[in-house]
Amino acid sequence: MDILSRLDEAAACVRQRLGDAWAAAVVLGSGLGGFASRVEDARALDYSEIPHFPVSTVEGHAGKLIGGKVAGKRLLVMAGRFHYYEGNSMEQVTFGIRVLHRLGVKVLLLSNAGGGVNPAFRPGDVMLITDHINLMPNPLVGPNIEELGPRFPNMSDAYSPRLADLARHASALRKVPLTQGCYLGSTGPTFETPHEYNFFRTIGADAVGMSTVPEVIVARHCGMEVLAFSVISNVGGLYSHKEVSHQEVQEVGALAEKRLTELILGVLETM
Ligand code: HPA
């Protein structure tokens, strides 16, 4: 079955079970699932119930699509995402994003846990992603499907300046500290060596992580507006030899979850 038919079957299932007319969608990253408890009148679908959806295998990723209301807006929440390092193809990694588009979602909010390479960053900081560097395989490699988007999509404004302003406004209003910078996407699953962190800093990154970039590329390809946050769970570089663990990534995520939740609520309120 071709991808358009698979997307249509998945979207039809979600429409039937969770409804329609969404104001936005949110993708929650590693250890950042707490926002899901803010959804009112929530209805949830396990990813395994949606035709053609991959299943996420990472600890701290729930694997549920939740539909409901937040700040008075109809919102879809993807609690759990698909990573390339799990062995998914890039088409699988980004399948959910295309289903959201098929459902009429025009505004996409994403979050992830990342490693800081900007030496000013501290674990627990929330970084507004203003640009990215893609060092993963590009999800749009292959024949272009015109129904999904153009052959050569522009990436000069991948992250919506309009939505970024709403996030800065929410940060000021709710007194939640917010940094900003460039996110570098690497395949993982290894964390970086000290020299790799240093290299990523040298080429202009502020944080590095194993997700989000393919989703943003596909979302921009189909014309969605994107806002993304990276929660800094650790800081890496030549002079910080501290070991990174997945457990640490999840623990700091729990601390920063509150900040992230406040920021997303603030954005949704003013959207
Ligand atoms: N590198 C890559 N991905 C990550 C990191 C890191 O240091 N921390 C959390 N996700």
Side-chain angles (χ1 to χ4, degrees):
M1 190 187 284
D2 67 10
I3 184 163
L4 292 175
S5 311
R6 281 181 282 130
L7 289 170
D8 283 341
E9 283 192 6
C13 165
V14 176
R15 202 174 281 122
Q16 190 204 345
R17 296 279 302 275
L18 303 182
D20 225 332
W22 306 104
V26 178
V27 178
L28 300 174
S30 287
L32 300 171
F35 176 80
S37 67
R38 298 300 190 100
V39 182
E40 296 155 33
D41 308 323
R43 275 193 269 173
L45 264 179
D46 274 339
Y47 288 162
S48 60
E49 298 178 81
I50 307 172
H52 315 296
F53 240 63
V55 180
S56 57
T57 63
V58 195
E59 248 178 85
H61 283 253
K64 273 186 180 15
L65 185 64
I66 303 156
K69 266 195 168 180
V70 176
K73 308 257 176 13
R74 299 240 324 132
L75 190 71
L76 268 177
V77 178
M78 281 184 69
R81 58 148 58 88
F82 310 107
H83 300 87
Y84 185 66
Y85 65 73
E86 293 174 82
N88 294 304
S89 66
M90 275 299 176
E91 190 188 286
Q92 289 175 309
V93 167
T94 57
F95 188 82
I97 304 302
R98 285 178 165 149
V99 172
L100 296 176
H101 174 250
R102 238 40 199 174
L103 289 164
V105 171
K106 294 193 167 55
V107 173
L108 181 65
L109 279 54
L110 301 128
S111 63
N112 63 53
V117 294
N118 180 330
F121 287 1
R122 295 289 169 264
D125 283 352
V126 181
M127 182 184 94
L128 174 69
I129 302 179
T130 54
D131 199 3
H132 72 223
I133 297 171
N134 181 29
L135 293 187
M136 300 167 94
N138 194 300
L140 301 180
V141 167
N144 188 55
I145 299 160
E146 286 299 319
E147 287 91 332
L148 296 178
R151 174 72 288 189
F152 299 109
N154 191 297
M155 286 289 141
S156 62
D157 59 351
Y159 299 83
S160 161
R162 178 184 84 89
L163 295 176
D165 277 344
L166 296 186
R168 291 186 193 101
H169 183 71
S171 155
L173 201 70
R174 291 173 175 251
K175 300 189 169 52
V176 177
L178 181 64
T179 60
Q180 64 173 41
C182 177
Y183 177 87
L184 183 147
S186 78
T187 65
T190 48
F191 292 113
E192 286 66 27
T193 65
H195 277 82
E196 285 167 344
Y197 284 121
N198 185 56
F199 170 54
F200 293 165
R201 179 63 187 157
T202 302
I203 64 172
D206 295 285
V208 50
M210 307 173 194
S211 69
T212 306
V213 170
E215 293 150 296
V216 170
I217 290 173
V218 162
R220 296 300 295 144
H221 181 235
C222 62
M224 294 164 100
E225 229 186 328
V226 170
L227 174 68
F229 299 101
S230 188
V231 169
I232 305 302
S233 53
N234 55 285
V235 180
L238 282 181
Y239 306 103
S240 79
H241 285 275
K242 212 175 144 298
E243 238 177 73
V244 194
S245 69
H246 187 62
Q247 192 193 340
E248 178 187 33
V249 170
Q250 284 182 281
E251 280 168 8
V252 178
L255 282 177
E257 205 166 43
K258 214 172 148 263
R259 288 175 169 177
L260 185 74
T261 297
E262 285 291 315
L263 290 167
I264 297 175
L265 287 175
V267 169
L268 291 172
E269 260 171 21
T270 53
M271 224 175 65

